[in-house]
Amino acid sequence: MTDTAPVRVLLADDEHLIRGALAALLALEEDIVVVAQAASGPEALAMAQAHLPDIAVLDLQMPGLDGIEVATRLRGLLPDCRCMILTGHGRPGYLKRALEVGIRGFLPKTVSAADLAGIIRTVRAGGRYVDPELAADAIAAGETPLTPRETDVLELAADGTSIAEIAERASLSQGTVRNYLSSAAAKLGAENRHAAVRIAREHGWI
């Protein structure tokens, strides 16, 4: 890649409106080109391998594989592709996990298009960007004992959603959902999932 070549970007987000808006806004940047879009984790992997982007901008929560899982796999498949997480769910556990797997950017979906473009350039140049508010929240919340998947399932259970609906929304079997909820409750010392939700919220983990 030469210094004048545009930054090749993959956008992955299961919300079509958000993905389309980001693509349209980034298209206004002379040095950035969106080479592919995806609506799920598996599709993001396929599109990345087909189009070889410089940067993959990944939604945190997507069907099939979440953004961190996609980034982890891309690290082995396409080591030259740098990954960023764009999320509406900036929980501390996810930020820690993202940094552990080498994700170079972690920012909220409230970021402006101009800032996003600038951060893409920073990451392409070898830099790193973590939203200051998300970083501060992570420090304040402390270490979460929950895995990212346990956190996902517990958050889906927070509004009293049934096991069947959680399973459908998380693309998991009902038995797996029960196992995750049971594991989360045990780690938090909670007698049931409702108490687990309360404890996790008090600590800023969901």
Side-chain angles (χ1 to χ4, degrees):
M1 176 175 174
T2 66
D3 291 339
T4 57
V7 184
R8 296 167 55 82
V9 174
L10 161 69
L11 290 178
D13 195 309
D14 61 337
E15 295 182 66
H16 178 74
L17 185 62
I18 291 176
R19 191 177 71 248
L22 285 176
L25 291 168
L26 290 176
L28 301 175
E29 304 290 332
E30 293 183 358
D31 60 338
I32 296 174
V33 57
V34 177
V35 296
Q37 298 183 44
S40 70
E43 187 181 4
L45 284 177
M47 289 293 100
Q49 292 178 86
H51 296 277
L52 306 178
D54 300 310
I55 302 287
V57 179
L58 309 167
D59 185 17
L60 180 58
Q61 295 182 319
M62 294 185 289
L65 297 168
D66 67 32
I68 293 175
E69 291 170 320
V70 171
T72 301
R73 299 191 188 193
L74 285 179
R75 192 176 184 181
L77 294 169
L78 300 173
D80 290 335
C81 176
R82 296 185 172 97
C83 294
M84 297 168 51
I85 293 290
L86 191 62
T87 180
H89 304 271
R91 294 189 298 267
Y94 275 110
L95 174 55
K96 181 176 182 295
R97 177 67 179 140
L99 296 177
E100 286 175 349
V101 303
I103 287 171
R104 308 296 299 180
F106 197 92
L107 51 154
K109 287 187 175 180
T110 53
V111 68
S112 71
D115 285 345
L116 176 59
I119 294 165
I120 287 173
R121 296 183 188 104
T122 296
V123 169
R124 181 67 186 93
R128 185 195 301 271
Y129 180 86
V130 175
D131 178 75
E133 288 190 18
L134 295 182
D137 288 345
I139 293 169
E143 191 78 20
T144 175
L146 305 176
T147 67
R149 199 49 121 165
E150 288 167 351
T151 305
D152 262 350
V153 171
L154 195 61
E155 184 174 51
L156 289 172
D159 57 0
T161 305
S162 69
I163 296 291
E165 188 175 347
I166 294 171
E168 181 179 353
R169 291 170 64 182
S171 301
L172 298 169
S173 71
Q174 293 186 37
T176 299
V177 168
R178 290 191 183 92
N179 289 340
Y180 279 135
L181 289 173
S182 176
S183 176
K187 287 180 178 180
L188 297 176
E191 62 273 19
N192 55 47
R193 61 171 167 160
H194 305 294
V197 166
R198 176 181 54 77
I199 292 169
R201 279 181 168 167
E202 288 174 352
H203 286 82
W205 295 330
I206 63 170

